[in-house]
Amino acid sequence: MNIDLSGSPQLITKTGNKNQSADSYVLRNALKMIDANTSHSANASKKTYPYWFILNPAADKGRAKKRVDWLKKSLKRQELDTVIQLTTMPSEATAFASQAKTCAGIIVACGGDGTLNEVTQSLVHSDSVLGCLPIGSANDFFKNISEIEAEEAGISHLFNATVQPVDVGQVFYQAEHTSSSRFFLNSFGLGFSGRIAKMAAAITWLKGDLTYIYALLKVAANYEAMQANVKLHTQDGIISLDQEKIYMLSIGNGKVEAGKFKIAPQAEINDGWLDVCILKDISRSDLPRWILKYLTGKQIGESQIVYAKAKKIEIELFRPECLHMDGEVIENVQGKLTIEVRPRALNVLSSKKLS
């Protein structure tokens, strides 16, 4: 089988014969990965597994490119032959993952939640396994699958984890008069949080949580609530909101987005449900109180909050809006949207035992 890595830069990390050519190494390693045992255990000390790393140098406002040499050295210490591919443009990680899953069992997304989102698009409903090397800004999804902080994570968690199935959300939407669908792994935001994600993506001079706090304050200065019809398909029936003025609509597969905001405190990434948190229209002067509630996860039960677990969410917008999926921004979304859960549709490496 020919492995086509053309059209983008890639680094080959090898721990075998130093005089071996890169081309012969790629072929040998690819063939080995095709034939390798892809058992659902990630204990590298007992078995050899095929790993393929897709690294986004633009993650964390471009700071991730400084981690390439670190990753090469870390893999060499593990005596692990593998491939590291570097992305050069948006959506390239999706294409790389589509290629890699034909010859590798474990695809490691190296970046933030956006990089994970891109890789996820190619791995849902497949036998491939998603690994996470958190070198992005917020690294929200990583919080669901690890007991350690992203800042403390090396690469050892990738070899001391187990493969566990998790849910994903699928969004059907229309933007620029084109119908599309996309998966999200951690969170979906419409309205206020969609605008924040857009603003945060444009900020290059701040890092981590400060980026989202600054973006929040900038967006809040002139944001007006959106009007929408919403139907939530819950275990207890349909919850309908008709022509409701909504400040923010969040859907969580994971609990946290934008670093520290607990948009879905009761969410579990493998319970077969999506957690919906709707904040109805609020005054600008009341926003600081709500920020505190979302930071602490204490918004549930408030009269301005609708919180429910749903299998399906239907939304009808009355104006074009901005949404995000795992921080990936889509503008000018209009008309009707449908969001559905896809239970246990993705295999991930997790060092945390999921309930």
Side-chain angles (χ1 to χ4, degrees):
M1 176 179 289
N2 293 322
I3 306 301
D4 181 11
L5 299 179
S6 61
S8 64
Q10 69 277 340
L11 298 174
I12 308 303
T13 298
K14 56 181 181 177
T15 56
N17 186 346
K18 292 182 179 181
N19 295 321
Q20 182 182 22
S21 71
D23 288 342
S24 65
Y25 167 73
V26 171
L27 180 59
R28 179 185 63 79
N29 195 55
L31 290 172
K32 181 172 67 175
M33 287 192 284
I34 292 168
D35 295 331
N37 174 17
T38 55
S39 166
H40 278 189
S41 168
N43 189 338
S45 65
K46 295 181 180 178
K47 296 181 181 180
T48 300
Y49 289 88
Y51 288 81
W52 192 292
F53 291 78
I54 299 173
L55 191 147
N56 176 13
D60 195 17
K61 313 300 181 185
R63 299 177 183 91
K65 64 185 176 184
K66 299 178 181 178
R67 306 297 294 275
V68 176
D69 286 341
W70 164 81
L71 178 57
K72 290 173 65 179
K73 292 175 182 177
S74 297
L75 291 172
K76 189 172 183 179
R77 284 194 294 270
Q78 291 285 336
E79 297 187 350
L80 180 69
D81 284 347
T82 187
V83 173
I84 304 172
Q85 281 185 291
L86 305 184
T87 62
T88 61
M89 64 184 72
S91 301
E92 202 168 31
T94 301
F96 284 174
S98 181
Q99 285 184 324
K101 72 179 182 181
T102 66
C103 56
I106 299 173
I107 316 300
V108 183
C110 311
D113 293 299
T115 308
L116 275 169
N117 182 276
E118 287 196 8
V119 172
T120 292
Q121 305 309 310
S122 293
L123 304 188
V124 173
H125 299 308
S126 78
D127 292 333
S128 298
V129 178
L130 174 68
C132 175
L133 188 60
I135 54 175
S137 297
N139 304 302
D140 292 321
F141 181 73
F142 187 71
K143 300 177 178 71
N144 298 294
I145 58 172
S146 177
E147 300 287 358
I148 61 174
E149 297 293 326
E151 295 79 7
E152 301 171 3
I155 66 169
S156 61
H157 66 280
L158 297 171
F159 313 113
N160 296 285
T162 57
V163 176
Q164 302 185 52
V166 301
D167 308 332
V168 298
Q170 186 171 14
V171 183
F172 301 88
Y173 63 94
Q174 186 175 70
E176 306 295 348
H177 306 292
T178 301
S179 297
S180 303
S181 72
R182 189 175 184 88
F183 299 108
F184 68 91
L185 186 53
N186 186 70
S187 67
F188 165 99
L190 180 66
F192 188 56
S193 59
R195 307 260 186 115
I196 291 171
K198 178 184 175 183
M199 175 72 72
I203 298 170
T204 59
W205 50 276
L206 283 175
K207 183 179 180 180
D209 298 344
L210 289 176
T211 304
Y212 298 99
I213 296 295
Y214 179 82
L216 183 156
L217 296 175
K218 291 287 287 185
V219 171
N222 55 16
Y223 177 75
E224 298 291 338
M226 62 182 178
Q227 190 176 41
N229 294 331
V230 181
K231 284 186 178 181
L232 309 179
H233 295 251
T234 75
Q235 187 174 11
D236 299 321
I238 294 178
I239 298 174
S240 295
L241 287 75
D242 297 323
Q243 297 187 19
E244 186 72 55
K245 293 198 76 175
I246 296 172
Y247 198 83
M248 181 169 72
L249 188 153
S250 303
I251 302 175
N253 189 36
K255 292 180 170 64
V256 178
E257 77 171 13
K260 296 185 181 300
F261 291 90
K262 297 179 173 64
I263 60 163
Q266 297 177 359
E268 300 291 342
I269 60 174
N270 62 346
D271 64 356
W273 297 89
L274 297 173
D275 284 42
V276 185
C277 186
I278 298 173
L279 174 60
K280 298 180 182 180
D281 194 17
I282 59 172
S283 66
R284 194 164 286 119
S285 62
D286 207 24
L287 181 58
R289 183 173 75 90
W290 285 102
I291 291 174
L292 182 60
K293 284 187 177 294
Y294 273 81
L295 284 170
T296 56
K298 295 181 178 179
Q299 70 270 29
I300 300 177
E302 295 283 344
S303 61
Q304 290 297 100
I305 291 288
V306 176
Y307 191 98
K309 288 182 176 289
K311 295 282 189 183
K312 180 179 179 180
I313 302 98
E314 297 176 273
I315 303 168
E316 183 179 7
L317 298 172
F318 292 91
R319 74 181 188 203
E321 260 303 338
C322 182
L323 65 79
H324 84 84
M325 288 177 256
D326 301 330
E328 295 291 281
V329 177
I330 300 173
E331 299 183 62
N332 297 316
V333 176
Q334 51 197 297
K336 295 181 179 180
L337 298 84
T338 302
I339 302 96
E340 299 178 354
V341 67
R342 299 289 178 245
R344 302 170 70 87
L346 179 68
N347 297 314
V348 302
L349 283 182
S350 175
S351 56
K352 178 190 290 187
K353 177 63 176 176
L354 302 179
S355 58

PDB file of all heavy atoms in Angstrom, residues 211-230:
ATOM      1  N   THR A 211      -7.995  34.877  27.209  1.00  0.00           N
ATOM      2  CA  THR A 211      -8.513  35.139  25.866  1.00  0.00           C
ATOM      3  C   THR A 211     -10.035  35.159  25.877  1.00  0.00           C
ATOM      4  O   THR A 211     -10.670  36.047  25.306  1.00  0.00           O
ATOM      5  CB  THR A 211      -8.027  34.066  24.876  1.00  0.00           C
ATOM      6  OG1 THR A 211      -6.600  34.024  24.903  1.00  0.00           O
ATOM      7  CG2 THR A 211      -8.518  34.346  23.478  1.00  0.00           C
ATOM      8  N   TYR A 212     -10.631  34.170  26.555  1.00  0.00           N
ATOM      9  CA  TYR A 212     -12.087  34.044  26.555  1.00  0.00           C
ATOM     10  C   TYR A 212     -12.743  35.097  27.454  1.00  0.00           C
ATOM     11  O   TYR A 212     -13.833  35.582  27.133  1.00  0.00           O
ATOM     12  CB  TYR A 212     -12.475  32.622  26.981  1.00  0.00           C
ATOM     13  CG  TYR A 212     -11.945  31.580  26.025  1.00  0.00           C
ATOM     14  CD1 TYR A 212     -10.780  30.874  26.307  1.00  0.00           C
ATOM     15  CD2 TYR A 212     -12.575  31.342  24.812  1.00  0.00           C
ATOM     16  CE1 TYR A 212     -10.278  29.944  25.409  1.00  0.00           C
ATOM     17  CE2 TYR A 212     -12.078  30.409  23.914  1.00  0.00           C
ATOM     18  CZ  TYR A 212     -10.925  29.716  24.226  1.00  0.00           C
ATOM     19  OH  TYR A 212     -10.414  28.799  23.327  1.00  0.00           O
ATOM     20  N   ILE A 213     -12.107  35.446  28.549  1.00  0.00           N
ATOM     21  CA  ILE A 213     -12.649  36.492  29.421  1.00  0.00           C
ATOM     22  C   ILE A 213     -12.673  37.821  28.678  1.00  0.00           C
ATOM     23  O   ILE A 213     -13.681  38.556  28.701  1.00  0.00           O
ATOM     24  CB  ILE A 213     -11.811  36.622  30.710  1.00  0.00           C
ATOM     25  CG1 ILE A 213     -11.897  35.332  31.547  1.00  0.00           C
ATOM     26  CG2 ILE A 213     -12.265  37.825  31.525  1.00  0.00           C
ATOM     27  CD1 ILE A 213     -13.281  35.037  32.096  1.00  0.00           C
ATOM     28  N   TYR A 214     -11.582  38.135  27.998  1.00  0.00           N
ATOM     29  CA  TYR A 214     -11.516  39.384  27.236  1.00  0.00           C
ATOM     30  C   TYR A 214     -12.567  39.390  26.123  1.00  0.00           C
ATOM     31  O   TYR A 214     -13.277  40.381  25.911  1.00  0.00           O
ATOM     32  CB  TYR A 214     -10.120  39.566  26.649  1.00  0.00           C
ATOM     33  CG  TYR A 214      -9.968  40.825  25.825  1.00  0.00           C
ATOM     34  CD1 TYR A 214      -9.733  42.059  26.427  1.00  0.00           C
ATOM     35  CD2 TYR A 214     -10.068  40.783  24.434  1.00  0.00           C
ATOM     36  CE1 TYR A 214      -9.600  43.213  25.662  1.00  0.00           C
ATOM     37  CE2 TYR A 214      -9.934  41.928  23.667  1.00  0.00           C
ATOM     38  CZ  TYR A 214      -9.699  43.140  24.285  1.00  0.00           C
ATOM     39  OH  TYR A 214      -9.582  44.274  23.530  1.00  0.00           O
ATOM     40  N   ALA A 215     -12.681  38.273  25.398  1.00  0.00           N
ATOM     41  CA  ALA A 215     -13.659  38.178  24.314  1.00  0.00           C
ATOM     42  C   ALA A 215     -15.081  38.326  24.846  1.00  0.00           C
ATOM     43  O   ALA A 215     -15.925  38.991  24.231  1.00  0.00           O
ATOM     44  CB  ALA A 215     -13.501  36.848  23.581  1.00  0.00           C
ATOM     45  N   LEU A 216     -15.347  37.727  26.002  1.00  0.00           N
ATOM     46  CA  LEU A 216     -16.669  37.827  26.623  1.00  0.00           C
ATOM     47  C   LEU A 216     -17.035  39.278  26.898  1.00  0.00           C
ATOM     48  O   LEU A 216     -18.148  39.730  26.579  1.00  0.00           O
ATOM     49  CB  LEU A 216     -16.680  37.002  27.915  1.00  0.00           C
ATOM     50  CG  LEU A 216     -17.985  36.890  28.703  1.00  0.00           C
ATOM     51  CD1 LEU A 216     -17.963  35.619  29.553  1.00  0.00           C
ATOM     52  CD2 LEU A 216     -18.236  38.081  29.622  1.00  0.00           C
ATOM     53  N   LEU A 217     -16.119  40.016  27.480  1.00  0.00           N
ATOM     54  CA  LEU A 217     -16.389  41.414  27.828  1.00  0.00           C
ATOM     55  C   LEU A 217     -16.598  42.266  26.577  1.00  0.00           C
ATOM     56  O   LEU A 217     -17.464  43.159  26.557  1.00  0.00           O
ATOM     57  CB  LEU A 217     -15.241  41.969  28.674  1.00  0.00           C
ATOM     58  CG  LEU A 217     -15.050  41.303  30.039  1.00  0.00           C
ATOM     59  CD1 LEU A 217     -13.809  41.840  30.741  1.00  0.00           C
ATOM     60  CD2 LEU A 217     -16.279  41.500  30.926  1.00  0.00           C
ATOM     61  N   LYS A 218     -15.833  41.994  25.531  1.00  0.00           N
ATOM     62  CA  LYS A 218     -15.975  42.760  24.294  1.00  0.00           C
ATOM     63  C   LYS A 218     -17.327  42.478  23.625  1.00  0.00           C
ATOM     64  O   LYS A 218     -18.015  43.401  23.160  1.00  0.00           O
ATOM     65  CB  LYS A 218     -14.839  42.417  23.332  1.00  0.00           C
ATOM     66  CG  LYS A 218     -13.464  42.903  23.774  1.00  0.00           C
ATOM     67  CD  LYS A 218     -13.330  44.416  23.622  1.00  0.00           C
ATOM     68  CE  LYS A 218     -13.195  44.845  22.182  1.00  0.00           C
ATOM     69  NZ  LYS A 218     -12.950  46.302  22.048  1.00  0.00           N
ATOM     70  N   VAL A 219     -17.713  41.218  23.560  1.00  0.00           N
ATOM     71  CA  VAL A 219     -18.981  40.854  22.923  1.00  0.00           C
ATOM     72  C   VAL A 219     -20.162  41.385  23.729  1.00  0.00           C
ATOM     73  O   VAL A 219     -21.155  41.875  23.158  1.00  0.00           O
ATOM     74  CB  VAL A 219     -19.084  39.319  22.770  1.00  0.00           C
ATOM     75  CG1 VAL A 219     -20.483  38.907  22.312  1.00  0.00           C
ATOM     76  CG2 VAL A 219     -18.041  38.815  21.782  1.00  0.00           C
ATOM     77  N   ALA A 220     -20.069  41.318  25.059  1.00  0.00           N
ATOM     78  CA  ALA A 220     -21.182  41.732  25.929  1.00  0.00           C
ATOM     79  C   ALA A 220     -21.517  43.210  25.795  1.00  0.00           C
ATOM     80  O   ALA A 220     -22.659  43.618  26.077  1.00  0.00           O
ATOM     81  CB  ALA A 220     -20.851  41.409  27.380  1.00  0.00           C
ATOM     82  N   ALA A 221     -20.575  44.010  25.349  1.00  0.00           N
ATOM     83  CA  ALA A 221     -20.780  45.462  25.287  1.00  0.00           C
ATOM     84  C   ALA A 221     -21.959  45.858  24.405  1.00  0.00           C
ATOM     85  O   ALA A 221     -22.649  46.848  24.692  1.00  0.00           O
ATOM     86  CB  ALA A 221     -19.499  46.143  24.805  1.00  0.00           C
ATOM     87  N   ASN A 222     -22.216  45.085  23.335  1.00  0.00           N
ATOM     88  CA  ASN A 222     -23.319  45.471  22.454  1.00  0.00           C
ATOM     89  C   ASN A 222     -24.163  44.285  21.970  1.00  0.00           C
ATOM     90  O   ASN A 222     -24.879  44.384  20.978  1.00  0.00           O
ATOM     91  CB  ASN A 222     -22.784  46.236  21.229  1.00  0.00           C
ATOM     92  CG  ASN A 222     -21.710  45.465  20.474  1.00  0.00           C
ATOM     93  OD1 ASN A 222     -21.564  44.263  20.677  1.00  0.00           O
ATOM     94  ND2 ASN A 222     -20.972  46.158  19.628  1.00  0.00           N
ATOM     95  N   TYR A 223     -24.076  43.169  22.672  1.00  0.00           N
ATOM     96  CA  TYR A 223     -24.826  41.982  22.264  1.00  0.00           C
ATOM     97  C   TYR A 223     -26.298  42.105  22.645  1.00  0.00           C
ATOM     98  O   TYR A 223     -26.638  42.568  23.738  1.00  0.00           O
ATOM     99  CB  TYR A 223     -24.228  40.727  22.912  1.00  0.00           C
ATOM    100  CG  TYR A 223     -24.996  39.463  22.603  1.00  0.00           C
ATOM    101  CD1 TYR A 223     -24.901  38.869  21.359  1.00  0.00           C
ATOM    102  CD2 TYR A 223     -25.826  38.879  23.556  1.00  0.00           C
ATOM    103  CE1 TYR A 223     -25.606  37.707  21.055  1.00  0.00           C
ATOM    104  CE2 TYR A 223     -26.537  37.714  23.267  1.00  0.00           C
ATOM    105  CZ  TYR A 223     -26.425  37.149  22.023  1.00  0.00           C
ATOM    106  OH  TYR A 223     -27.132  36.000  21.737  1.00  0.00           O
ATOM    107  N   GLU A 224     -27.181  41.670  21.737  1.00  0.00           N
ATOM    108  CA  GLU A 224     -28.616  41.611  21.982  1.00  0.00           C
ATOM    109  C   GLU A 224     -29.073  40.167  21.845  1.00  0.00           C
ATOM    110  O   GLU A 224     -28.637  39.443  20.936  1.00  0.00           O
ATOM    111  CB  GLU A 224     -29.378  42.488  20.990  1.00  0.00           C
ATOM    112  CG  GLU A 224     -29.030  43.972  21.061  1.00  0.00           C
ATOM    113  CD  GLU A 224     -29.508  44.625  22.352  1.00  0.00           C
ATOM    114  OE1 GLU A 224     -30.444  44.071  22.976  1.00  0.00           O
ATOM    115  OE2 GLU A 224     -28.953  45.677  22.723  1.00  0.00           O
ATOM    116  N   ALA A 225     -29.964  39.749  22.726  1.00  0.00           N
ATOM    117  CA  ALA A 225     -30.457  38.368  22.713  1.00  0.00           C
ATOM    118  C   ALA A 225     -31.099  38.029  21.374  1.00  0.00           C
ATOM    119  O   ALA A 225     -31.669  38.887  20.696  1.00  0.00           O
ATOM    120  CB  ALA A 225     -31.452  38.158  23.845  1.00  0.00           C
ATOM    121  N   MET A 226     -30.988  36.753  20.986  1.00  0.00           N
ATOM    122  CA  MET A 226     -31.594  36.280  19.731  1.00  0.00           C
ATOM    123  C   MET A 226     -32.981  35.724  20.028  1.00  0.00           C
ATOM    124  O   MET A 226     -33.290  35.306  21.143  1.00  0.00           O
ATOM    125  CB  MET A 226     -30.715  35.192  19.109  1.00  0.00           C
ATOM    126  CG  MET A 226     -30.560  33.962  19.979  1.00  0.00           C
ATOM    127  SD  MET A 226     -29.455  32.721  19.236  1.00  0.00           S
ATOM    128  CE  MET A 226     -29.455  31.472  20.542  1.00  0.00           C
ATOM    129  N   GLN A 227     -33.824  35.706  19.018  1.00  0.00           N
ATOM    130  CA  GLN A 227     -35.149  35.105  19.144  1.00  0.00           C
ATOM    131  C   GLN A 227     -35.153  33.776  18.410  1.00  0.00           C
ATOM    132  O   GLN A 227     -34.617  33.668  17.293  1.00  0.00           O
ATOM    133  CB  GLN A 227     -36.225  36.027  18.575  1.00  0.00           C
ATOM    134  CG  GLN A 227     -37.647  35.585  18.889  1.00  0.00           C
ATOM    135  CD  GLN A 227     -38.675  36.586  18.386  1.00  0.00           C
ATOM    136  OE1 GLN A 227     -38.542  37.130  17.298  1.00  0.00           O
ATOM    137  NE2 GLN A 227     -39.701  36.841  19.190  1.00  0.00           N
ATOM    138  N   ALA A 228     -35.763  32.768  19.023  1.00  0.00           N
ATOM    139  CA  ALA A 228     -35.747  31.438  18.409  1.00  0.00           C
ATOM    140  C   ALA A 228     -36.881  30.580  18.932  1.00  0.00           C
ATOM    141  O   ALA A 228     -37.409  30.803  20.032  1.00  0.00           O
ATOM    142  CB  ALA A 228     -34.412  30.749  18.696  1.00  0.00           C
ATOM    143  N   ASN A 229     -37.251  29.603  18.123  1.00  0.00           N
ATOM    144  CA  ASN A 229     -38.109  28.510  18.570  1.00  0.00           C
ATOM    145  C   ASN A 229     -37.207  27.317  18.873  1.00  0.00           C
ATOM    146  O   ASN A 229     -36.312  26.997  18.077  1.00  0.00           O
ATOM    147  CB  ASN A 229     -39.109  28.106  17.488  1.00  0.00           C
ATOM    148  CG  ASN A 229     -40.118  29.197  17.183  1.00  0.00           C
ATOM    149  OD1 ASN A 229     -40.453  30.008  18.049  1.00  0.00           O
ATOM    150  ND2 ASN A 229     -40.611  29.237  15.943  1.00  0.00           N
ATOM    151  N   VAL A 230     -37.441  26.655  19.999  1.00  0.00           N
ATOM    152  CA  VAL A 230     -36.595  25.537  20.405  1.00  0.00           C
ATOM    153  C   VAL A 230     -37.468  24.374  20.857  1.00  0.00           C
ATOM    154  O   VAL A 230     -38.444  24.563  21.594  1.00  0.00           O
ATOM    155  CB  VAL A 230     -35.645  25.938  21.555  1.00  0.00           C
ATOM    156  CG1 VAL A 230     -34.759  24.756  21.953  1.00  0.00           C
ATOM    157  CG2 VAL A 230     -34.794  27.132  21.172  1.00  0.00           C
TER     158      VAL A 230
END
